Amino acid sequence: MVTTHNLGFPRIGAKRELKFGLESYWKGQSSLSELKSLGAQLRQRHWINQANLDWVPVGDFAFYDQMLDMSFTLGNLPGRVRGFHGDSLDNYFRVARGRSAHGVDHAGCCGGGVAAGEMTKWFDTNYHYIVPEFSAGTEFQLDSSRLLEQLAEAKAQGVKAKPVIVGPVTYLALGKAKDESDRLALLPRLLPVYAQLLAELGAQGVEWVQVDEPLLVTELDADWQHAFNAAYHQLKSCGVKLLVATYFGPLQENMYLAANLPVAGLHVDAVNGREDVVPLLNMLPTHKVLSLGVINGRNIWKTDLNRLLDWLEPLRDRLGDRLWIAPSCSLLHVPVDLGSEKKLDAELKSWLAFALQKLHELEVLATALNMGRDWARDALAANQAAVDSRRVSPRVHDPAVQAAVAGLTLDLGRRHSVYEQRAATQAALLKLPAYPTTTIGSFPQTAEIRHARSEFRAGRLDQAGYKLAMQREIARSVKEQEALGLDVLVHGEAERNDMVEYFGEQLDGYAFSEFGWVQSYGSRCVKPPILFGDISRPKAMTVEWIRYAQSLTAKPMKGMLTGPVTILNWSFVRDDQPRSRSCFQLALAIREEVLDLERAGVRVIQIDEAALREGLPLRKSQWKTYLDWAVESFRITANGVRDETQIHTHMCYSEFNDIIESIAGMDADVITIETSRSDMELLDAFDHFKYPNEIGPGVYDIHSPNIPTQAHIEQLMRKAAERIPASRLWVNPDCGLKTRAWEEVIPALTNMVAAARALRAA
């Protein structure tokens, strides 16, 4: 019989219950016991949702991040939080966000906070993890309490539990040595703690443990390959069966290594790495389980089950009971339940599958494989009808858009003059001081903004009333920026629900869910648009709002847009055509908006490409192909303007030192980046690469409630000036300010402006 299991379930709740519980606790509106109780309720509900599986993941729930959970399990806490006393969950939040709760620290001391842990993207997803911190002296000490408590809850509920942990090699590889020491030198200290953890799980009656090692789908040098062999040979006698789980891509040259690790089972991504499966069968020892990730855990389209069964049935015949099936990766990356959706039309909804529907697809596959297709006849017929409907729908294909992409030329992506000439023209027009100050785009999404948006969507506020409410908030943002003394202003984005969703709602070819929320980090959730068809822009999307904001000030007002690569990477995208083709369609649509802003008199236009790097393939050998079309898409979007128009772009929380030449190739006049959490480490790239244009290294970590001091900002900017000429430096936060409150933003920006003035004076 084929075995079914899942690698992980969305933790935020179908209605974002975890988000609201976390934020209530951080604001001091609820207690720690109430937050823990909510976590237990969500876990219980999610295990019920997965009750039909043969094995159910336990330990995939986290209050903030699974990598941070693993750091606490391994006793790997940054030194700056080791002196705190009180509940470990409070200490956990100090690492995650710099402070446990708002205002007063729950351990009893004042809430000044500590430096939050660095945050970056989880492989090529939009999920962010807290980066483990190491040094040559790092020691590990097991704290298995979190996992054992969740295991006890699951056993009490009758769950057939499969604990989930991050594997030791991936854990080391994704961390950072703060003293530049060798992370692999820590492996001999780390493995005994893993062995102790596995022994404790075995003592609780655990049969299988899922050990996530997605590092195996990346290019590994000999030392890291050896680390895998060393690690699992040391853990092979741990008393439980280990299922090493890989995902997000194919194994390729790591196939033999993965197949021959001394473990009981191997999970591979058979969506993104199907070509691995047949050769893998010839390498896999005959006693070992092979788990195939056959349902896409990162996208929301229905699986073509009949076609998949055509491929799976011969594998079942060959493997028998050794065949397990599952989603390709954790379902953390998709929304919870399509059944909650009332906004999507019936036809489009029939094409989709969220987490619960993906688990149902898995059940249908298992029934067909174990009992025969006749036992799943009705479900398979309904699935086939939906797949066929999408394939031929005229809603998906627009010949005019396809013709426009076919007619693209390189000239569309070229500015009229080189940067040096443009910079002189822009300087004469904008008359900005040295170290010009700006923000990234958004200001706090206040209760008033959220209430007005809710009333408008419910039909209780008409279009004129909504417009007036948003104009009041825009006017407030402009007034506050004038008072602060910022040099280049933004309108604050009061009217925008999300930097991608806002644009997608106004583009043909997109659809939107009501409850399609996905965790980005901590309590931050996004609702990715559904890119189902060819993309076009029916009318201007932002011009009216920016023109109004510019009318309120004599200072330059930035037009704010999201770039095509980011819209693509933060959407659920089509799987029936290359991503590059969809990206070029988006580029042409956003280009029209850029030109309309310029015609409206906007002289500074920011086109955010926050997600450029996360779209990189996991293997460097494939980077060039992606970067070629991604950079060209940005250039098509941005470069139709005159020399006088200054183009900005923004990137956040991405390790992009190794693609700095491609970023320079985008030819934006100004780029703003995150550098505050990494203490300007991202600027190391400029030691070896002379970046040709202007740059704003973010000096205010907006993902933490901590308020940066003027001295700290000056220190960061002086570090930046060691690598980049001061004449080309801007001063700005590292990201938009929508998640912060005005009472945090005003003092932080006051210090930022004061630091810029001090730098000018010096």
Side-chain angles (χ1 to χ4, degrees):
M1 300 287 284
V2 170
T3 295
T4 59
H5 71 113
N6 187 22
L7 276 67
F9 196 81
R11 60 181 71 123
I12 59 173
K15 301 293 175 64
R16 293 182 293 164
E17 295 92 330
L18 182 59
K19 167 190 173 65
F20 299 122
L22 286 168
E23 291 174 357
S24 174
Y25 173 65
W26 293 337
K27 293 173 183 175
Q29 297 169 349
S30 60
S31 67
L32 191 59
S33 63
E34 288 174 310
L35 178 60
K36 290 182 176 181
S37 176
L38 172 63
Q41 292 168 26
L42 288 171
R43 290 191 292 272
Q44 182 181 38
R45 184 194 310 166
H46 298 161
W47 290 329
I48 292 171
N49 292 150
Q50 300 171 86
N52 291 333
L53 297 172
D54 295 311
W55 293 103
V56 176
V58 171
D60 55 325
F61 178 88
F63 278 109
Y64 202 96
D65 164 51
Q66 72 266 18
M67 280 291 280
L68 182 59
D69 279 13
M70 203 67 218
S71 289
F72 271 70
T73 298
L74 299 171
N76 181 30
L77 278 61
R80 61 186 177 279
V81 303
R82 288 183 178 272
F84 287 96
H85 303 287
D87 195 283
S88 62
L89 191 56
D90 271 334
N91 221 12
Y92 175 93
F93 290 137
R94 291 186 191 99
V95 181
R97 58 194 298 269
R99 190 185 305 178
S100 171
H102 184 73
V104 177
D105 188 282
H106 277 239
C109 68
C110 60
V114 297
E118 186 177 343
M119 186 164 62
T120 195
K121 301 292 177 69
W122 177 248
F123 290 85
D124 59 349
T125 75
N126 187 34
Y127 177 80
H128 302 64
Y129 72 95
I130 302 296
V131 179
E133 298 176 24
F134 306 123
S135 70
T138 295
E139 299 288 344
F140 303 96
Q141 183 173 1
L142 181 64
D143 178 0
S144 57
S145 56
R146 175 195 65 90
L147 192 52
L148 293 180
E149 286 167 9
Q150 292 186 24
L151 181 61
E153 291 175 16
K155 289 170 69 176
Q157 194 175 317
V159 173
K160 196 166 184 182
K162 170 172 59 72
V164 177
I165 59 175
V166 178
V169 186
T170 294
Y171 179 77
L172 284 178
L174 296 189
K176 275 192 174 181
K178 293 297 184 177
D179 57 359
E180 300 185 358
S181 56
D182 179 11
R183 287 163 293 164
L184 277 178
L186 299 174
L187 189 62
R189 296 180 212 166
L190 181 61
L191 291 176
V193 181
Y194 269 88
Q196 185 184 351
L197 173 61
L198 294 171
E200 290 190 8
L201 292 173
Q204 297 300 312
V206 167
E207 182 178 352
W208 282 93
V209 176
Q210 175 186 318
V211 188
D212 286 358
E213 292 282 13
L215 191 70
L216 279 164
V217 305
T218 66
E219 290 161 337
L220 302 174
D221 65 24
D223 289 340
W224 287 98
Q225 289 176 337
H226 175 72
F228 273 105
N229 274 318
Y232 287 94
H233 275 87
Q234 186 163 337
L235 298 176
K236 66 182 178 182
S237 303
C238 60
V240 294
K241 296 176 183 176
L242 300 184
L243 178 73
V244 167
T246 71
Y247 40 81
F248 299 151
L251 291 167
Q252 293 187 6
E253 74 280 1
N254 298 324
M255 194 185 306
Y256 183 85
L257 169 66
N260 288 282
L261 291 175
V263 295
L266 176 67
H267 172 87
V268 296
D269 183 339
V271 173
N272 295 298
R274 180 179 288 197
E275 65 276 9
D276 280 353
V277 174
V278 172
L280 188 61
L281 292 177
N282 299 321
M283 300 179 185
L284 202 70
T286 55
H287 65 275
K288 193 172 292 189
V289 160
L290 179 61
S291 168
L292 297 179
V294 293
I295 304 293
N296 194 331
R298 288 181 58 177
N299 214 330
I300 42 70
W301 304 108
K302 266 192 168 74
T303 305
D304 187 336
L305 296 180
N306 286 290
R307 187 176 179 185
L308 180 57
L309 283 167
D310 291 341
W311 180 73
L312 276 173
E313 284 165 345
L315 299 177
R316 173 208 57 196
D317 296 342
R318 181 168 176 179
L319 289 167
D321 291 347
R322 294 165 52 214
L323 176 61
W324 289 20
I325 57 173
S328 59
C329 60
S330 170
L331 297 177
L332 171 72
H333 308 287
V334 295
V336 177
D337 185 12
L338 185 64
S340 303
E341 293 298 329
K342 304 295 186 282
K343 186 175 179 181
L344 294 167
D345 67 78
E347 181 185 38
L348 183 56
K349 192 173 175 180
S350 75
W351 302 343
L352 306 179
F354 290 178
L356 292 182
Q357 289 70 45
K358 289 177 183 294
L359 294 179
H360 176 67
E361 290 183 331
L362 203 62
E363 292 175 42
V364 173
L365 287 172
T367 299
L369 289 168
N370 290 329
M371 310 290 290
R373 293 199 198 193
D374 283 349
W375 287 82
R377 184 188 301 112
D378 291 346
L380 290 174
N383 172 267
Q384 192 65 54
V387 169
D388 290 343
S389 166
R390 178 183 169 217
R391 187 176 294 125
V392 301
S393 173
R395 300 174 64 183
V396 174
H397 308 288
D398 184 335
V401 174
Q402 294 169 6
V405 171
L408 287 173
T409 65
L410 290 176
D411 289 343
L412 281 180
R414 305 297 176 263
R415 289 294 287 268
H416 300 297
S417 304
V418 297
Y419 164 73
E420 288 78 10
Q421 291 176 273
R422 302 194 312 260
T425 302
Q426 293 161 14
L429 179 68
L430 296 173
K431 297 181 172 58
L432 298 175
Y435 294 102
T437 56
T438 190
T439 64
I440 301 307
S442 60
F443 274 102
Q445 289 272 310
T446 63
E448 292 82 3
I449 292 173
R450 290 192 296 270
H451 177 71
R453 185 177 297 127
S454 175
E455 292 291 289
F456 177 57
R457 293 200 164 184
R460 294 186 291 268
L461 183 65
D462 63 17
Q463 178 69 43
Y466 177 72
K467 179 179 178 180
L468 184 62
M470 294 301 101
Q471 285 181 337
R472 280 199 299 266
E473 294 295 334
I474 290 170
R476 176 185 181 180
S477 292
V478 173
K479 180 181 178 182
E480 295 286 7
Q481 292 172 86
E482 292 267 20
L484 285 162
L486 289 163
D487 300 306
V488 175
L489 310 191
V490 297
H491 79 296
E493 303 181 14
E495 79 288 0
R496 302 186 189 183
N497 44 10
D498 175 82
M499 66 182 288
V500 172
E501 185 176 3
Y502 174 79
F503 291 96
E505 284 178 330
Q506 301 180 77
L507 294 169
D508 287 344
Y510 265 106
F512 295 86
S513 62
E514 190 174 1
F515 300 108
W517 296 102
V518 177
Q519 185 182 27
S520 178
Y521 63 87
S523 68
R524 169 71 170 151
C525 301
V526 295
K527 187 149 57 72
I530 300 165
L531 198 169
F532 71 87
D534 291 331
I535 298 295
S536 59
R537 185 196 75 144
K539 61 180 181 180
M541 301 178 286
T542 67
V543 175
E544 182 180 357
W545 299 111
I546 304 300
R547 184 189 284 126
Y548 171 72
Q550 184 65 82
S551 73
L552 302 175
T553 180
K555 290 189 172 184
M557 175 64 60
K558 277 197 287 191
M560 299 300 306
L561 303 173
T562 304
V565 184
T566 296
I567 294 178
L568 181 83
N569 285 336
W570 287 355
S571 298
F572 291 124
V573 300
R574 296 170 63 173
D575 58 357
D576 62 340
Q577 70 177 18
R579 293 170 66 89
S580 57
R581 191 176 305 160
S582 294
C583 200
F584 286 134
Q585 293 178 0
L586 284 163
L588 288 172
I590 306 300
R591 177 187 176 92
E592 293 175 13
E593 189 71 15
V594 171
L595 296 176
D596 275 352
L597 284 169
E598 185 180 58
R599 282 189 283 266
V602 178
R603 291 290 168 259
V604 182
I605 301 174
Q606 180 172 309
I607 306 167
D608 289 336
E609 285 294 15
L612 177 77
R613 194 193 190 284
E614 77 184 46
L616 277 174
L618 295 177
R619 296 175 177 276
K620 287 188 176 181
S621 59
Q622 299 167 356
W623 282 13
K624 184 179 185 303
T625 299
Y626 164 78
L627 287 169
D628 283 350
W629 62 253
V631 169
E632 191 60 29
S633 294
F634 177 85
R635 293 176 67 107
I636 289 167
T637 302
N639 287 350
V641 297
R642 299 189 301 270
D643 288 353
E644 293 87 346
T645 300
Q646 188 175 74
I647 295 293
H648 290 223
T649 191
H650 171 68
M651 297 176 188
C652 57
Y653 293 93
S654 291
E655 296 282 355
F656 52 71
N657 291 8
D658 42 10
I659 61 166
I660 190 65
E661 290 188 39
S662 294
I663 292 171
M666 295 165 70
D667 200 23
D669 297 302
V670 182
I671 180 174
T672 52
I673 59 175
E674 180 280 325
T675 50
S676 57
R677 277 204 180 193
S678 61
D679 197 31
M680 293 282 164
E681 281 183 15
L682 287 181
L683 296 185
D684 289 350
F686 300 96
D687 290 338
H688 310 289
F689 180 82
K690 186 176 180 182
Y691 187 76
N693 303 4
E694 297 171 47
I695 187 165
V699 292
Y700 164 18
D701 175 11
I702 66 89
H703 294 86
S704 169
N706 297 337
I707 295 168
T709 64
Q710 177 182 335
H712 180 63
I713 293 171
E714 289 183 39
Q715 176 191 4
L716 290 176
M717 290 305 300
R718 289 192 189 97
K719 273 191 175 184
E722 292 172 3
R723 280 116 158 177
I724 299 159
S727 61
R728 291 196 276 116
L729 283 172
W730 287 61
V731 184
N732 48 263
D734 59 17
C735 206
L737 298 163
K738 66 181 293 184
T739 60
R740 300 265 59 90
W742 277 107
E743 55 266 28
E744 299 166 324
V745 166
I746 294 297
L749 293 182
T750 297
N751 291 344
M752 190 185 85
V753 172
R757 288 173 175 164
L759 290 165
R760 291 169 198 158

